[in-house]
Amino acid sequence: SIGGTRKKKQLDLYMKTRSQRTALDVLEDSLNRRTYAGDKSKPKPKYRGVMHMMGTLLFMSSTVTSWLLNSLLPTKYHPYYWTLTLLLFAKSLSYFASALLHLFPFKSAKGVTEALKFDLIAIAASIGFTALPFASNYQEVMRTVAITTLFIGGQLVCVEWQFWGHMGLDTPPNRSELPRNVLLVLQFLDTSAKIGEAMAYSTLWKAGIFTYAVAFCLAAPVTARHKEEPFFKQLPWHKKGVFSMHEDFHNVLLIADGIMVFSAVKFLGDKVVGWI
């Protein structure tokens, strides 16, 4: 019928228009949202997730560049420089998980909860693989991979227990973040010690650890105050609904990650010839 044909054309036009929405349109929608799907108690400032997306693009492009450069190096160097590529990929994965959580336009609490689990578990990969380029031999590389895998498994168990039967970004009253945080601290100390020993506890290593410590201090009030966004009126860049300590935390964390990546590149450049 004529009416049926008209409706079909309208539907086709709607689907075509909808499919032409660009990634920037989706990003704009996400930036304009002030809460998360299924969890209206958690505020979402305007720039939440933007830094994560920038970090993802930075580390992913660095991963590809590292892989391409590695393929151009003599074969004898490959067993060592691929560890740098894995480090960069692990950082990319962690930043991508955070960007996904904060920027993807989820429609349900289940989607947001699963994204949060992915985000939390990816942290273990980011921490553990940071030590890979600082290994003194292939056996140590494999030990680091094995230990990191165990920590990832431990985080998986802790995160599933923390959110079992629960939907949303807050921790249920009868559950706790403590087991997960204890594992993270143990893994961070183990990784820091390995890197420190390899770098002879140099000034560069101390700068990286200090920057991580500052980031963790900024993260503490953010974690403790789920329904609020901690910010200081005295700081000109802090603005409610726009920028808070959460963004400060991730900006400082990005600097710390950058210091560690630079340390890895410098370490490989200084030491790899002695390994062959």
Side-chain angles (χ1 to χ4, degrees):
S1 64
I2 296 177
T5 302
R6 184 181 295 112
K7 288 182 178 180
K8 185 178 184 302
K9 288 182 178 180
Q10 290 175 344
L11 179 61
D12 290 342
L13 178 61
Y14 168 76
M15 295 303 295
K16 182 179 180 180
T17 303
R18 185 178 180 182
S19 65
Q20 289 176 343
R21 294 187 71 208
T22 65
L24 289 178
D25 294 326
V26 176
L27 177 60
E28 184 179 1
D29 290 345
S30 297
L31 290 176
N32 289 331
R33 292 188 179 192
R34 292 294 173 264
T35 57
Y36 294 86
D39 191 350
K40 303 302 182 183
S41 66
K42 178 69 172 177
K44 182 179 179 294
K46 183 176 181 179
Y47 291 108
R48 180 62 46 83
V50 174
M51 192 285 304
H52 305 88
M53 180 183 64
M54 294 174 61
T56 301
L57 296 175
L58 173 63
F59 283 113
M60 188 58 71
S61 60
S62 299
T63 301
V64 174
T65 301
S66 174
W67 177 75
L68 291 174
L69 290 176
N70 188 35
S71 66
L72 298 176
L73 289 172
T75 306
K76 64 179 181 178
Y77 293 103
H78 289 187
Y80 307 103
Y81 272 90
W82 65 259
T83 59
L84 177 62
T85 304
L86 283 178
L87 160 61
L88 293 169
F89 177 75
K91 296 296 181 187
S92 302
L93 182 67
S94 182
Y95 279 83
F96 170 75
S98 293
L100 181 70
L101 169 63
H102 297 302
L103 295 180
F104 190 81
F106 291 103
K107 302 298 183 181
S108 67
K110 179 176 175 58
V112 174
T113 306
E114 294 302 320
L116 174 61
K117 291 179 182 178
F118 176 36
D119 183 27
L120 296 176
I121 295 169
I123 296 173
S126 177
I127 294 175
F129 283 153
T130 302
L132 279 180
F134 301 93
S136 58
N137 52 56
Y138 181 75
Q139 289 72 27
E140 189 174 340
V141 168
M142 297 312 298
R143 280 197 299 271
T144 300
V145 171
I147 292 173
T148 300
T149 302
L150 289 176
F151 273 113
I152 293 174
Q155 285 294 327
L156 177 61
V157 172
C158 290
V159 169
E160 285 297 333
W161 172 80
Q162 182 179 339
F163 293 97
W164 186 263
H166 176 75
M167 295 295 169
L169 299 177
D170 60 322
T171 301
N174 59 337
R175 304 292 169 81
S176 172
E177 293 183 282
L178 184 61
R180 179 178 65 83
N181 288 334
V182 168
L183 273 183
L184 283 178
V185 170
L186 290 176
Q187 186 183 19
F188 175 75
L189 293 176
D190 176 67
T191 301
S192 299
K194 289 177 181 176
I195 297 174
E197 183 178 2
M199 296 181 65
Y201 305 102
S202 65
T203 301
L204 188 59
W205 174 82
K206 293 175 182 176
I209 299 304
F210 174 77
T211 310
Y212 276 123
V214 172
F216 296 153
C217 289
L218 291 171
V222 174
T223 302
R225 296 163 66 179
H226 172 76
K227 296 183 180 181
E228 302 177 30
E229 286 302 310
F231 66 97
F232 294 100
K233 296 180 180 179
Q234 295 82 357
L235 298 178
W237 62 88
H238 278 196
K239 185 177 180 181
K240 188 174 183 179
V242 179
F243 207 99
S244 70
M245 288 185 66
H246 187 109
E247 283 65 47
D248 288 341
F249 156 58
H250 281 289
N251 285 334
V252 175
L253 185 64
L254 179 61
I255 295 173
D257 284 336
I259 292 174
M260 281 302 164
V261 170
F262 176 77
S263 299
V265 172
K266 185 175 185 303
F267 179 85
L268 288 172
D270 292 343
K271 301 294 184 182
V272 72
V273 176
W275 294 354
I276 306 302

